[in-house]
Amino acid sequence: MTDAPCRPSSGDGTLAGDTADGDASLIAASIEEPELFAVFFDRHAPAIHRYVARRLGQDAADDVTAETFLTAFRIRERFDAERAGVRPWLHGIAAKQISRHRREEVRALKILARTGSDPVAESWTDSADDRLAAQAASRPLAEALARLSAGDRHVLLLFAWADFTYQEIAQALDIPVGTVRSRLNRARRKLRAVTEAHSPVLEPRVHEGGPA
């Protein structure tokens, strides 16, 4: 569990597959058979690791991801599938860990603002032209993100980078949906004030929780 996250394995056994119900069943089963939680880790750690790396950089991602799943393992008996899905639950735990690294996150954003280099995002992009365009747009955006409050940044990046609905963000951060709306709108206003670059972060989307 403390090793660097690995890719999800195929053939998870007799339990349900990569579905919300399957994850909930896996967590429940791991209470009696703790070793089953390793399957859950393999399934979800890459996504958490990638999200944390975007926010804190690669150096901190391994430790924060490991601590996120150690915490999830310790409190797995308290997981309530009717209250929150697995992804919001995990990202909520990760958000608390990220908050402890606020200085590192702001530092990483300032480096991105200065250099335009985001190795995690670049690894997702095949085209050199796309990478250059992304770098040009990311500089002012990163600078603006660094100036947001931690709460506003959590909401904005769960929406933009984790592709969460308003309801999922509310579940992850344990805040009302109305607070999600107000934080997201405030964050967008602040970003628009400092950058004219086109960004999906600033574009309104319709989610289950309602329009932006």
Side-chain angles (χ1 to χ4, degrees), residues 10-35:
S10 60
D12 289 338
T14 58
L15 293 171
D18 296 344
T19 65
D21 290 342
D23 284 327
S25 298
L26 189 56
I27 293 172
S30 75
I31 295 172
E32 296 295 329
E33 300 179 74
E35 65 276 8

Tab-separated table of all heavy atoms in Angstrom, residues 10-35:
chain	number	residue	atom	x	y	z
A	10	SER	N	-6.074	-6.362	-14.526
A	10	SER	CA	-7.262	-6.980	-15.083
A	10	SER	C	-7.540	-8.260	-14.324
A	10	SER	O	-6.653	-8.847	-13.723
A	10	SER	CB	-7.046	-7.291	-16.569
A	10	SER	OG	-5.955	-8.167	-16.723
A	11	GLY	N	-8.805	-8.680	-14.346
A	11	GLY	CA	-9.149	-9.900	-13.639
A	11	GLY	C	-9.112	-9.686	-12.148
A	11	GLY	O	-8.231	-10.151	-11.441
A	12	ASP	N	-10.078	-8.917	-11.618
A	12	ASP	CA	-10.075	-8.588	-10.203
A	12	ASP	C	-10.622	-9.711	-9.331
A	12	ASP	O	-10.755	-9.541	-8.121
A	12	ASP	CB	-10.927	-7.325	-9.969
A	12	ASP	CG	-10.241	-6.085	-10.507
A	12	ASP	OD1	-9.016	-6.118	-10.654
A	12	ASP	OD2	-10.944	-5.113	-10.791
A	13	GLY	N	-10.948	-10.851	-9.891
A	13	GLY	CA	-11.480	-11.915	-9.059
A	13	GLY	C	-12.976	-12.052	-9.280
A	13	GLY	O	-13.540	-11.644	-10.281
A	14	THR	N	-13.653	-12.575	-8.277
A	14	THR	CA	-15.068	-12.859	-8.418
A	14	THR	C	-15.947	-11.681	-8.053
A	14	THR	O	-17.147	-11.707	-8.283
A	14	THR	CB	-15.447	-14.060	-7.524
A	14	THR	OG1	-15.102	-13.738	-6.164
A	14	THR	CG2	-14.696	-15.296	-7.940
A	15	LEU	N	-15.356	-10.640	-7.459
A	15	LEU	CA	-16.155	-9.490	-7.101
A	15	LEU	C	-16.508	-8.687	-8.345
A	15	LEU	O	-15.922	-8.848	-9.409
A	15	LEU	CB	-15.395	-8.609	-6.095
A	15	LEU	CG	-15.196	-9.260	-4.733
A	15	LEU	CD1	-14.259	-8.416	-3.889
A	15	LEU	CD2	-16.522	-9.435	-4.006
A	16	ALA	N	-17.481	-7.772	-8.216
A	16	ALA	CA	-17.943	-6.989	-9.353
A	16	ALA	C	-16.821	-6.156	-9.927
A	16	ALA	O	-15.836	-5.865	-9.275
A	16	ALA	CB	-19.103	-6.094	-8.910
A	17	GLY	N	-17.010	-5.730	-11.182
A	17	GLY	CA	-15.967	-5.009	-11.894
A	17	GLY	C	-15.899	-3.541	-11.533
A	17	GLY	O	-16.264	-3.129	-10.446
A	18	ASP	N	-15.426	-2.731	-12.502
A	18	ASP	CA	-15.165	-1.323	-12.252
A	18	ASP	C	-16.451	-0.513	-12.276
A	18	ASP	O	-16.650	0.372	-13.102
A	18	ASP	CB	-14.193	-0.780	-13.308
A	18	ASP	CG	-12.848	-1.451	-13.218
A	18	ASP	OD1	-12.579	-2.075	-12.190
A	18	ASP	OD2	-12.089	-1.344	-14.184
A	19	THR	N	-17.352	-0.793	-11.353
A	19	THR	CA	-18.595	-0.052	-11.233
A	19	THR	C	-18.697	0.467	-9.825
A	19	THR	O	-17.999	0.016	-8.912
A	19	THR	CB	-19.807	-0.952	-11.529
A	19	THR	OG1	-19.883	-1.971	-10.523
A	19	THR	CG2	-19.689	-1.608	-12.898
A	20	ALA	N	-19.601	1.442	-9.623
A	20	ALA	CA	-19.784	1.999	-8.285
A	20	ALA	C	-20.204	0.913	-7.303
A	20	ALA	O	-19.683	0.824	-6.186
A	20	ALA	CB	-20.828	3.115	-8.335
A	21	ASP	N	-21.154	0.065	-7.727
A	21	ASP	CA	-21.597	-1.014	-6.839
A	21	ASP	C	-20.462	-1.991	-6.566
A	21	ASP	O	-20.320	-2.493	-5.445
A	21	ASP	CB	-22.780	-1.757	-7.455
A	21	ASP	CG	-24.050	-0.922	-7.468
A	21	ASP	OD1	-24.106	0.073	-6.711
A	21	ASP	OD2	-24.973	-1.254	-8.233
A	22	GLY	N	-19.652	-2.260	-7.603
A	22	GLY	CA	-18.536	-3.174	-7.408
A	22	GLY	C	-17.519	-2.626	-6.434
A	22	GLY	O	-16.979	-3.361	-5.591
A	23	ASP	N	-17.234	-1.329	-6.521
A	23	ASP	CA	-16.300	-0.709	-5.595
A	23	ASP	C	-16.827	-0.741	-4.171
A	23	ASP	O	-16.079	-1.013	-3.220
A	23	ASP	CB	-16.027	0.737	-6.002
A	23	ASP	CG	-15.100	0.841	-7.197
A	23	ASP	OD1	-14.211	-0.024	-7.328
A	23	ASP	OD2	-15.250	1.779	-7.990
A	24	ALA	N	-18.100	-0.436	-4.012
A	24	ALA	CA	-18.692	-0.457	-2.683
A	24	ALA	C	-18.636	-1.865	-2.090
A	24	ALA	O	-18.334	-2.038	-0.902
A	24	ALA	CB	-20.135	0.044	-2.742
A	25	SER	N	-18.909	-2.863	-2.929
A	25	SER	CA	-18.840	-4.253	-2.466
A	25	SER	C	-17.420	-4.635	-2.091
A	25	SER	O	-17.194	-5.357	-1.108
A	25	SER	CB	-19.358	-5.191	-3.556
A	25	SER	OG	-20.711	-4.936	-3.864
A	26	LEU	N	-16.470	-4.127	-2.851
A	26	LEU	CA	-15.067	-4.426	-2.587
A	26	LEU	C	-14.620	-3.820	-1.259
A	26	LEU	O	-13.929	-4.468	-0.470
A	26	LEU	CB	-14.209	-3.888	-3.728
A	26	LEU	CG	-12.725	-4.266	-3.761
A	26	LEU	CD1	-12.547	-5.778	-3.745
A	26	LEU	CD2	-12.072	-3.659	-4.998
A	27	ILE	N	-15.024	-2.588	-1.008
A	27	ILE	CA	-14.687	-1.952	0.268
A	27	ILE	C	-15.313	-2.722	1.421
A	27	ILE	O	-14.652	-2.980	2.433
A	27	ILE	CB	-15.155	-0.490	0.274
A	27	ILE	CG1	-14.351	0.329	-0.734
A	27	ILE	CG2	-15.005	0.118	1.671
A	27	ILE	CD1	-14.865	1.737	-0.937
A	28	ALA	N	-16.580	-3.088	1.270
A	28	ALA	CA	-17.262	-3.836	2.329
A	28	ALA	C	-16.577	-5.177	2.580
A	28	ALA	O	-16.378	-5.591	3.733
A	28	ALA	CB	-18.729	-4.045	1.954
A	29	ALA	N	-16.203	-5.859	1.501
A	29	ALA	CA	-15.553	-7.162	1.649
A	29	ALA	C	-14.189	-7.034	2.310
A	29	ALA	O	-13.741	-7.937	3.025
A	29	ALA	CB	-15.421	-7.834	0.285
A	30	SER	N	-13.521	-5.906	2.083
A	30	SER	CA	-12.176	-5.731	2.639
A	30	SER	C	-12.180	-5.558	4.142
A	30	SER	O	-11.133	-5.669	4.787
A	30	SER	CB	-11.499	-4.516	1.985
A	30	SER	OG	-12.021	-3.296	2.477
A	31	ILE	N	-13.343	-5.300	4.729
A	31	ILE	CA	-13.416	-5.188	6.185
A	31	ILE	C	-13.105	-6.532	6.822
A	31	ILE	O	-12.404	-6.616	7.830
A	31	ILE	CB	-14.806	-4.674	6.610
A	31	ILE	CG1	-15.004	-3.240	6.085
A	31	ILE	CG2	-14.964	-4.716	8.122
A	31	ILE	CD1	-16.403	-2.700	6.281
A	32	GLU	N	-13.610	-7.600	6.208
A	32	GLU	CA	-13.331	-8.948	6.706
A	32	GLU	C	-12.065	-9.532	6.092
A	32	GLU	O	-11.384	-10.353	6.705
A	32	GLU	CB	-14.516	-9.873	6.396
A	32	GLU	CG	-15.798	-9.491	7.109
A	32	GLU	CD	-15.676	-9.623	8.615
A	32	GLU	OE1	-14.911	-10.494	9.082
A	32	GLU	OE2	-16.347	-8.836	9.331
A	33	GLU	N	-11.755	-9.116	4.869
A	33	GLU	CA	-10.561	-9.595	4.177
A	33	GLU	C	-9.731	-8.394	3.726
A	33	GLU	O	-9.843	-7.947	2.588
A	33	GLU	CB	-10.955	-10.453	2.970
A	33	GLU	CG	-11.782	-11.676	3.318
A	33	GLU	CD	-12.169	-12.464	2.085
A	33	GLU	OE1	-11.282	-13.142	1.512
A	33	GLU	OE2	-13.329	-12.373	1.668
A	34	PRO	N	-8.911	-7.844	4.619
A	34	PRO	CA	-8.195	-6.593	4.331
A	34	PRO	C	-7.350	-6.634	3.071
A	34	PRO	O	-7.155	-5.594	2.427
A	34	PRO	CB	-7.320	-6.399	5.583
A	34	PRO	CG	-8.028	-7.150	6.665
A	34	PRO	CD	-8.647	-8.338	5.982
A	35	GLU	N	-6.865	-7.816	2.706
A	35	GLU	CA	-6.004	-7.903	1.528
A	35	GLU	C	-6.739	-7.511	0.251
A	35	GLU	O	-6.119	-7.125	-0.743
A	35	GLU	CB	-5.435	-9.313	1.386
A	35	GLU	CG	-6.438	-10.419	1.107
A	35	GLU	CD	-7.114	-10.970	2.354
A	35	GLU	OE1	-6.920	-10.381	3.439
A	35	GLU	OE2	-7.820	-11.990	2.240
